[in-house]
Amino acid sequence: MPAHPLQPLAHAIRFLSIDAIVKATEGHQGVPLGMAEIATALYVNYLKYNPADPTWWDRDRVVLSNGHGSMLLYSLLHLSGYDAVPLTEIQRFRELGAVCEGHPEYNPAAGIEVTTGPLGQGIANALGMAVAEAYLNARFGTGLVDHFTYAFVGDGCLQEGVGQEMISLAGHLQLGKLMLLWDDNLITDDGPTSLSISENVAERFRVANWHVQELDGHDLEAVSAALAQAKADPRPSLLACRTVIGKGIPRVQGQRGGHSARLFEQDAQEARALLNWPHSPFEVPADILTAWREAGRRSLPEYQAWQERLATLPAAERAEFERVMRGELPAGWQDVLLDYKRRAHEAPTVPSGIFLSGEINDLLAPVLPERIVGCADLEAPTSHKRSLQAFTATDRAGAYVHCGVREHVMGSMANGMAAHGGVIPLSVTYLAFADYERPAMRMAALMGLPVKFVFSHDSIGIGKNGPTHQPVEILASLRAMPNMWVMRPADAVEAAECWALALAHRAGPVSLVFARQSLPLVRSEHTPDNRCARGGYVLHEASAGPRQVTLLATGSEVALAVQARDLLESEGVGTAVVSMPCWELFDEQPGDYRQLVLGDGVRVAVEAAGRFGWDAYLGARGGFVGMKGFGASGPADALYKLFGITAEAVATEARRLLQA
Amino acid sequence: MPAHPLQPLAHAIRFLSIDAIVKATEGHQGVPLGMAEIATALYVNYLKYNPADPTWWDRDRVVLSNGHGSMLLYSLLHLSGYDAVPLTEIQRFRELGAVCEGHPEYNPAAGIEVTTGPLGQGIANALGMAVAEAYLNARFGTGLVDHFTYAFVGDGCLQEGVGQEMISLAGHLQLGKLMLLWDDNLITDDGPTSLSISENVAERFRVANWHVQELDGHDLEAVSAALAQAKADPRPSLLACRTVIGKGIPRVQGQRGGHSARLFEQDAQEARALLNWPHSPFEVPADILTAWREAGRRSLPEYQAWQERLATLPAAERAEFERVMRGELPAGWQDVLLDYKRRAHEAPTVPSGIFLSGEINDLLAPVLPERIVGCADLEAPTSHKRSLQAFTATDRAGAYVHCGVREHVMGSMANGMAAHGGVIPLSVTYLAFADYERPAMRMAALMGLPVKFVFSHDSIGIGKNGPTHQPVEILASLRAMPNMWVMRPADAVEAAECWALALAHRAGPVSLVFARQSLPLVRSEHTPDNRCARGGYVLHEASAGPRQVTLLATGSEVALAVQARDLLESEGVGTAVVSMPCWELFDEQPGDYRQLVLGDGVRVAVEAAGRFGWDAYLGARGGFVGMKGFGASGPADALYKLFGITAEAVATEARRLLQA
């Protein structure tokens, strides 16, 4: 049987990958060698892309969920003509500063749609991209947003729980333009998959109402035919491609070592002999490169037609589309928040902390319809649905995704939405369940994606549900994460200010953390400026005399600090209260501002959480009132007393330090 | 049709639950009202238990995975006769200090096998219990360990990713004595399950090779028959019980409000009318209580026969069984570690940090065969299998579980093993993937379970795999967790000392964190005492003069601190190096010891991680050398230089502070 005409294109991937991995002395050959034909069929025959404009808004998205196989992606990007991935960068695979990093790192300009590596994240990101596409398609029409989302995926992603969450939710939402290309090679790092899994994985997709095809992943015709069928089918599609791991390297192919055993020059030579590839290391013969570059230009007519459609749109429509896709906020968006802030001073009742956020989110709906809220089966207690319609299998215009009890995929799909662009994803659950979502939050922080992670029920203030539901260490664990803003507003005014800061922040994710309990106003009067913008500020200066004590607090404990101040000031001890809703912003302030806020005297921090991290602000004469361990089951008021988080305890600690 | 004779027993659960929830003004009625018949059939006809000896080692284990339905469990415990749950405690449901907390909190003496609440944890714990049972059964024989593990489970647990990980692994391991009783009520907190899930959940179990029966969960005969079949079937079993949420309360049954809408006195009255239950609140008629108490004594013959078998065992065999079940360590176990420590000074090569731990684990195998190691598809790089045999569907004597790429269930099943007793669970993966396991780690800390979480690849020292695989914030996030020891040994000696401390620690979990890179010895000579026991200690005192500088470090950075000390001492600056492998232990030391160790002068901490948390030890003249953000892809040495984590940088920071 004569070789398929695309076979040399697939081999070009194989040998670029082998040569790069040999040169780097490490890497994962399993994926690029096993998926070379699958990737070639996709990129040459079907993918809508334009290497000359990598961030074209209507491109098909491609995610390498099995990110350890990064040389597959780099080979594809180089061969199809992405300027950011020249041969010299392939040759620097895994070197410091190379575009071709060990795992793909988010770099849309280079064609790298998301960072992948921790397994399961990529396919969950792809789900988010497909949701964003469907939503934008419904909003702007197929002329502007109408693309597929493909994800390469390995066994590991499908063993991870988040993988099943993704399978289940994608099937439920019937995202027909989502396709998984599974490298079904029967091998993981430990050896045969039979060491740890027995089920028919493809069947799991069928149960979840996916379109499933099982095929030979090295048969270019079969892959092409399956891709065509998958595109035509209205269900999300799985191509279960049986492959040989490390295919082409005699010593390791089909073996455990095919995954990532170190490759040597001799392996490369033996592969060249086996596959009849007489070319030098890193040499891609001109005819093959030409064929690849032509493939990279295959979508140009579609690209040009799209540009023309965009150019001929009515000006206002075009401006709105471009604004949304650029992630810009519309004129006047702050007015909603400013107005809310002003009206907070007239509010007759004191709502629960999380309900403040729900109100704000709802007020923003008409102004910022591109917010998409995901929530993990806590609609009523987290209060962020209100007027929003659900995004469903039959209604793509809805902007509220009932994620089910699946926090992990909720966070990861939010990342995918943010990476896609055109939507502002919010992910909502209890703070106690942030740990379930944390692997996604870490990836958002690493990529610098503008995801809003909204949390309610942020402390022992939740009361009787007990310690499982009472965060004590979670604020600290989030504050420890680089590039993650953690905001814990004290009242309705701070809620509005923090929301404004969070929306304007595009360089990374924000955790907006709200109490379950009522948050009485701590701001005495309206000011148009955003005082939370500096992260921490003097809410009340000492008035009984020169400042001797500074009380530091966040969220629900700011009111308590104010009460403690009253006690101390009544004794003539000049006491200031500092509200610190966002440590990350405070840390960015000039040293003299920080010093002015923190003061020279005694400092006592109060927070219904652990002390961990607070010492950075406490100085030599500092104390802390908060939690020493996990919480307990009982009414919130009783718990605050039980754990000694009271105004009197704060005042006592301040007095003790003054006398020390 | 006349009512089933057990129906009044089920109604007794229902009304105790309703009355307690009405009195508490909050709670979750959905589970106890929906599962009353299921639970009754189990406890009256099948469960092997003895309320008079709640911690009987061979009892069947029962986990309420849908822990919000805690009144189901409390009702069962009270009715069947557990002394710790008298009616007065039922009446204090959700009050501060009550045994009947909002969610079940680990309390074996009261019959509460594990803390549950965060969904999915309970069924994964149950998997661990079933593994422990099978292992102990193989080791000690069916005469001593031969019981079933049952878990009540709701829709949420089966939506969570960890739920699927559990389904998959339990099916793979064919744990035939594991049974899930699913409250298939088609309702979650948001409303109908159809809002967020479309698949046939039972089919997912069939795909994973479970024995599945679908039945009416209110039909006592059907449930009993299904339990009998499930017990007889060699596969793990799912009873998919179709139920009516909140059954018995006209206003909410079968509705969204059936889950946890507030119940009022009138609801209780209407339920009494509907179900013909004329008794007062909290009244259990004597005949029904008698029937329940008889049910609680049903296993007494089995219990007595078991006690006799134990009593007639050969003394040595009995002593060993009792030692293992009590979680006691055998005589001489420290010798292995002491010997390893001594020999470390003669080792010709410097092994990778994690390989030190692998070596120790392997040496312990003959002495402590009850260690069960789970690992998430990283056998080779984490090095903890070695001479261990795999625990498989056909070999229950193995003590190494290939968990697949499923970190979350790995951690949760380790918790279940520890709660079961008789085994010492280890859970092994890369530190970067700790976030996937974190919800389980939090539960281990909350319950105070002696689980050893072992992590390798703990910093940028992993090199070219890049920032996804490089922890920078994870040490801090674990240190922030109450009741979790985090140990980061600096060399082979500290590895042995930390292992010894971890094994002896029974009051909570330990995270043992190891570098990928080589750890040269920092201890210059053998000492028999365990210097890590104080958490932090002076490794090298200042010798060039009085101590002016204290360098604090952990793990792989201790060697670097020693180099920095050399630089400073060569300039005449008296410099001490403090190794701080375990902050939690250090924090427990007396103040004067801590002060002595930390010194009065300049302090500089160095760790290849973020600063977060270190300020608690840095004092007024403190500095830090470490990571400011996420890592990068490149060789480890280059990364240490790139991020400025070098001996020279530490010395420079110390000099700067001396001059400040």
Side-chain angles (χ1 to χ4, degrees), chain A residues 28 49 155 169 178 266 283 314 375 400 410 418 477 531 555 626-627 630 642:
Chain A
H28 296 78
Y49 64 135
D155 295 297
L169 192 53
L178 176 62
Q266 183 167 345
E283 180 193 345
C375 181
Y400 187 93
M410 174 175 70
S477 76
R531 302 186 71 188
M627 297 294 292
F630 289 108
L642 175 69

Short mmCIF file of all heavy atoms in Angstrom, two decimals, chain A residues 28 49 155 169 178 266 283 314 375 400 410 418 477 531 555 626-627 630 642:
data_model
loop_
_atom_site.label_atom_id
_atom_site.label_comp_id
_atom_site.label_asym_id
_atom_site.label_seq_id
_atom_site.Cartn_x
_atom_site.Cartn_y
_atom_site.Cartn_z
N HIS A 28 8.85 14.60 26.42
CA HIS A 28 7.87 13.50 26.38
C HIS A 28 7.56 13.20 24.92
O HIS A 28 6.77 13.90 24.29
CB HIS A 28 6.61 13.89 27.13
CG HIS A 28 6.81 14.13 28.60
ND1 HIS A 28 7.36 15.28 29.10
CD2 HIS A 28 6.54 13.34 29.68
CE1 HIS A 28 7.41 15.20 30.44
NE2 HIS A 28 6.93 14.04 30.81
N TYR A 49 -7.61 28.39 10.81
CA TYR A 49 -6.59 29.15 11.53
C TYR A 49 -5.80 29.98 10.55
O TYR A 49 -5.84 29.75 9.34
CB TYR A 49 -5.67 28.22 12.34
CG TYR A 49 -4.82 27.25 11.55
CD1 TYR A 49 -3.46 27.07 11.87
CD2 TYR A 49 -5.34 26.48 10.52
CE1 TYR A 49 -2.68 26.16 11.17
CE2 TYR A 49 -4.56 25.57 9.82
CZ TYR A 49 -3.23 25.42 10.15
OH TYR A 49 -2.45 24.52 9.45
N ASP A 155 -4.67 9.69 28.31
CA ASP A 155 -5.35 8.86 29.30
C ASP A 155 -5.47 9.56 30.65
O ASP A 155 -6.46 9.43 31.35
CB ASP A 155 -4.58 7.55 29.49
CG ASP A 155 -4.60 6.70 28.24
OD1 ASP A 155 -5.69 6.28 27.83
OD2 ASP A 155 -3.52 6.48 27.65
N LEU A 169 -20.59 17.57 31.87
CA LEU A 169 -21.20 18.89 31.63
C LEU A 169 -21.25 19.22 30.13
O LEU A 169 -22.24 19.79 29.65
CB LEU A 169 -20.43 19.97 32.41
CG LEU A 169 -21.09 21.33 32.49
CD1 LEU A 169 -22.53 21.26 33.01
CD2 LEU A 169 -20.27 22.26 33.39
N LEU A 178 -17.40 21.07 20.03
CA LEU A 178 -16.28 20.69 20.89
C LEU A 178 -15.85 19.27 20.52
O LEU A 178 -16.68 18.38 20.42
CB LEU A 178 -16.75 20.73 22.34
CG LEU A 178 -15.78 20.28 23.43
CD1 LEU A 178 -14.54 21.16 23.46
CD2 LEU A 178 -16.49 20.34 24.80
N GLN A 266 21.12 7.58 19.08
CA GLN A 266 20.90 6.31 18.40
C GLN A 266 19.39 6.03 18.19
O GLN A 266 19.01 5.45 17.18
CB GLN A 266 21.52 5.18 19.22
CG GLN A 266 21.36 3.84 18.50
CD GLN A 266 22.23 2.76 19.11
OE1 GLN A 266 23.15 3.06 19.89
NE2 GLN A 266 21.96 1.52 18.76
N GLU A 283 16.09 18.96 9.98
CA GLU A 283 15.87 19.33 8.56
C GLU A 283 14.46 18.92 8.16
O GLU A 283 14.09 17.75 8.29
CB GLU A 283 16.89 18.62 7.66
CG GLU A 283 16.67 19.00 6.20
CD GLU A 283 17.45 18.09 5.23
OE1 GLU A 283 18.36 17.38 5.70
OE2 GLU A 283 17.12 18.10 4.03
N PRO A 314 -22.44 47.48 10.51
CA PRO A 314 -22.77 48.84 10.97
C PRO A 314 -21.78 49.27 12.06
O PRO A 314 -21.39 48.44 12.89
CB PRO A 314 -24.18 48.68 11.53
CG PRO A 314 -24.75 47.46 10.86
CD PRO A 314 -23.58 46.57 10.57
N CYS A 375 -21.96 28.53 38.49
CA CYS A 375 -22.16 28.30 39.92
C CYS A 375 -22.37 26.81 40.15
O CYS A 375 -23.03 26.13 39.37
CB CYS A 375 -23.34 29.12 40.43
SG CYS A 375 -23.64 28.91 42.21
N TYR A 400 -25.86 32.17 32.58
CA TYR A 400 -25.70 31.53 33.89
C TYR A 400 -25.60 30.03 33.66
O TYR A 400 -26.52 29.42 33.13
CB TYR A 400 -26.88 31.85 34.79
CG TYR A 400 -26.73 31.37 36.23
CD1 TYR A 400 -26.22 32.21 37.22
CD2 TYR A 400 -27.09 30.08 36.60
CE1 TYR A 400 -26.08 31.79 38.54
CE2 TYR A 400 -26.96 29.63 37.91
CZ TYR A 400 -26.45 30.50 38.88
OH TYR A 400 -26.30 30.07 40.18
N MET A 410 -15.86 23.89 36.92
CA MET A 410 -16.38 25.25 36.89
C MET A 410 -15.24 26.26 36.79
O MET A 410 -15.26 27.17 35.96
CB MET A 410 -17.22 25.51 38.14
CG MET A 410 -17.70 26.93 38.28
SD MET A 410 -18.80 27.14 39.71
CE MET A 410 -17.63 26.96 41.07
N ALA A 418 -12.06 32.81 29.69
CA ALA A 418 -11.22 34.01 29.71
C ALA A 418 -10.16 33.94 28.62
O ALA A 418 -9.86 34.93 27.96
CB ALA A 418 -10.56 34.16 31.08
N SER A 477 -4.33 30.60 52.19
CA SER A 477 -3.85 29.77 51.09
C SER A 477 -4.01 30.48 49.75
O SER A 477 -3.22 30.28 48.83
CB SER A 477 -4.56 28.41 51.09
OG SER A 477 -5.88 28.51 50.58
N ARG A 531 -11.64 53.90 47.67
CA ARG A 531 -10.64 53.80 48.75
C ARG A 531 -10.01 52.41 48.80
O ARG A 531 -8.90 52.25 49.31
CB ARG A 531 -11.27 54.19 50.09
CG ARG A 531 -11.85 55.61 50.05
CD ARG A 531 -12.34 56.05 51.42
NE ARG A 531 -11.23 56.31 52.32
CZ ARG A 531 -11.36 56.56 53.62
NH1 ARG A 531 -12.57 56.55 54.15
NH2 ARG A 531 -10.30 56.78 54.38
N GLY A 555 -13.13 42.45 55.85
CA GLY A 555 -14.47 41.87 55.75
C GLY A 555 -15.32 42.06 56.98
O GLY A 555 -15.40 43.15 57.55
N GLY A 626 -7.98 35.93 66.22
CA GLY A 626 -8.61 35.17 65.14
C GLY A 626 -8.69 33.71 65.50
O GLY A 626 -8.74 33.35 66.68
N MET A 627 -8.63 32.86 64.50
CA MET A 627 -8.79 31.42 64.71
C MET A 627 -7.43 30.76 64.92
O MET A 627 -6.45 31.10 64.27
CB MET A 627 -9.47 30.79 63.49
CG MET A 627 -10.89 31.29 63.23
SD MET A 627 -12.07 30.82 64.55
CE MET A 627 -12.12 29.05 64.31
N PHE A 630 -9.46 24.72 63.47
CA PHE A 630 -10.70 24.64 62.73
C PHE A 630 -11.87 25.12 63.59
O PHE A 630 -11.75 25.29 64.80
CB PHE A 630 -10.94 23.20 62.27
CG PHE A 630 -10.00 22.77 61.18
CD1 PHE A 630 -8.97 21.87 61.43
CD2 PHE A 630 -10.14 23.26 59.89
CE1 PHE A 630 -8.10 21.47 60.42
CE2 PHE A 630 -9.28 22.87 58.87
CZ PHE A 630 -8.25 21.97 59.14
N LEU A 642 -17.01 31.79 71.32
CA LEU A 642 -16.24 30.60 71.68
C LEU A 642 -14.76 30.75 71.29
O LEU A 642 -13.86 30.39 72.05
CB LEU A 642 -16.83 29.37 70.96
CG LEU A 642 -16.07 28.06 71.14
CD1 LEU A 642 -16.21 27.55 72.58
CD2 LEU A 642 -16.57 26.98 70.17
#
